[in-house]
Amino acid sequence: MERDNLETVFAQAPLLLMEGALGERLKREYHIPIDGTLAMAPLYRDRTSADALDTLWREYAAAAGAYRLPILLTTPTRRLNRERVGLCGADGDALTAGNMAHLSSFAKTLSADYGIPVFSGALMGCRGDAYTGAGALSSDAAYDFHAWAAERFARAGAQFLYAAIMPTLPEVRGMARAMAQTGLPYFISFTIRRDGCLIDGTPIADAIAGIDGENDRKPLCYMTNCVHPDIVLSALSAACCDCDAVRARFLGIQCNTSPLSYEELDGTADLHTSSPEALADAVYALRQKHGLKLFGGCCGTDASHLRAMAARLTQN
């Protein structure tokens, strides 16, 4: 497999990993504040914070390396967008380029150290609230809004773009168009409910059909994040997801360790977690029933969860 071609690796590899939690671990283990307007985007500028990020990325790459799996890492830039840069008078070009340069350089080191493909991508997010859809954009407004970051990350050398926890179809349609226009591989990750729908009530199948239907350059796959595998198992088992489009195109999860709903988890002061083995069993069930191939961690996870998932998923 070509290590520098994500599309080739994604097509050929039966299983790939994504990183585990960053933000929650930086706050709780390293006591790094990340609650400003730009959240984690400025962290690469501070040596202590940058070293902490590198430590976490190395832990996740080591877990992938132990099982000879490719891994995708992303910049901590979900809140780095044109609006927020303007609100705090930051240099958006420097922030996008700096984050990408930091991760890209370190990903090459990790690839050499562990002998696996390590891909460096740019994380992007919705304008408003990912868990309720408040503040979401129309399709045309979203295209204009998200093209700002997509173009800058592409110029900065991102190997892929990743739209995370996207709650509404109109905004993600515009975002997908902006991503597709860069020519880079990209992933669309929805915020989903147990009934097989996005937060705005759109069935996953309809969202996939809408986005695929208007882009010649389609996402590498669709997925979800910040949600427990048991919720995704229920969602993908819903009648509205019983179709070829979902089976063929919905292929990934970055999972929480808690089975609570978004409403129950959002803003909680306590970190709800479960054992690495329990989470590994849950993602294994998801893979067995629905054929997912891209697995990573979100809130509550650390390298032990990623390693347990890799071990369970690679069992013969």
Side-chain angles (χ1 to χ4, degrees):
M1 293 185 293
E2 301 173 41
R3 290 194 180 180
D4 60 350
N5 188 327
L6 175 57
E7 289 169 296
T8 300
V9 171
F10 190 81
Q12 294 181 358
L15 181 65
L16 304 92
L17 294 183
M18 289 190 81
E19 66 204 356
L22 294 179
E24 286 294 334
R25 294 190 65 192
L26 291 172
K27 286 191 296 185
R28 296 175 189 276
E29 296 177 29
Y30 294 88
H31 309 291
I32 294 173
I34 59 172
D35 297 323
T37 303
L38 297 173
M40 293 189 284
L43 295 185
Y44 75 95
R45 292 176 166 173
D46 173 75
R47 188 67 265 160
T48 299
S49 299
D51 286 347
L53 279 168
D54 290 352
T55 296
L56 300 186
W57 282 324
R58 179 171 288 281
E59 288 180 5
Y60 297 136
Y67 294 90
R68 314 305 303 159
L69 296 174
I71 187 167
L72 282 62
L73 306 178
T74 62
T75 55
T77 50
R78 190 173 72 89
R79 286 306 193 186
L80 178 54
N81 59 50
R82 183 182 64 187
E83 181 179 54
R84 287 172 176 259
V85 163
L87 287 173
C88 59
D91 185 337
D93 290 339
L95 283 164
T96 50
N99 270 283
M100 207 66 251
H102 175 211
L103 176 56
S104 296
S105 175
F106 194 56
K108 291 176 183 176
T109 298
L110 294 173
S111 182
D113 288 350
Y114 298 108
I116 57 171
V118 179
F119 295 100
S120 52
L123 173 63
M124 297 169 57
C126 60
R127 175 190 176 273
D129 192 310
Y131 304 112
T132 66
L137 298 167
S138 69
S139 180
D140 288 342
Y143 170 79
D144 183 58
F145 183 88
H146 293 296
W148 180 93
E151 292 166 359
R152 282 163 173 76
F153 281 126
R155 289 199 301 267
Q159 292 178 293
F160 66 93
L161 302 175
Y162 177 41
I165 43 178
M166 299 298 296
T168 65
L169 180 57
E171 181 164 359
V172 78
R173 284 176 57 201
M175 192 177 197
R177 281 195 289 133
M179 289 178 155
Q181 189 170 284
T182 68
L184 290 174
Y186 66 103
F187 299 87
I188 299 294
S189 185
F190 300 125
T191 324
I192 64 171
R193 310 183 316 206
R194 284 187 181 272
D195 62 359
C197 296
L198 278 62
I199 293 299
D200 68 356
T202 304
I204 293 170
D206 292 353
I208 291 173
I211 296 163
D212 276 358
E214 61 186 20
N215 290 289
D216 291 334
R217 188 171 184 83
K218 298 172 175 55
L220 281 188
C221 77
Y222 297 87
M223 55 186 295
T224 187
N225 65 305
C226 206
V227 63
H228 193 274
D230 288 353
I231 294 176
V232 182
L233 187 64
S234 296
L236 296 182
S237 299
C240 64
C241 290
D242 185 15
C243 64
D244 290 343
V246 174
R247 283 188 285 271
R249 300 286 285 133
F250 194 98
L251 299 175
I253 179 175
Q254 272 190 297
C255 49
N256 277 358
T257 56
S258 170
L260 296 178
S261 68
Y262 291 122
E263 293 82 5
E264 292 169 307
L265 287 174
D266 190 19
T268 182
D270 298 323
L271 183 64
H272 297 262
T273 189
S274 57
S275 73
E277 294 74 21
L279 191 67
D281 287 343
V283 298
Y284 181 78
L286 194 55
R287 177 171 169 81
Q288 289 296 103
K289 184 166 185 179
H290 294 290
L292 274 62
K293 64 185 290 183
L294 178 59
F295 294 90
C298 200
C299 301
T301 63
D302 58 26
S304 67
H305 292 89
L306 207 64
R307 189 177 291 269
M309 286 193 287
R312 187 77 171 92
L313 293 166
T314 54
Q315 283 181 343
N316 294 328

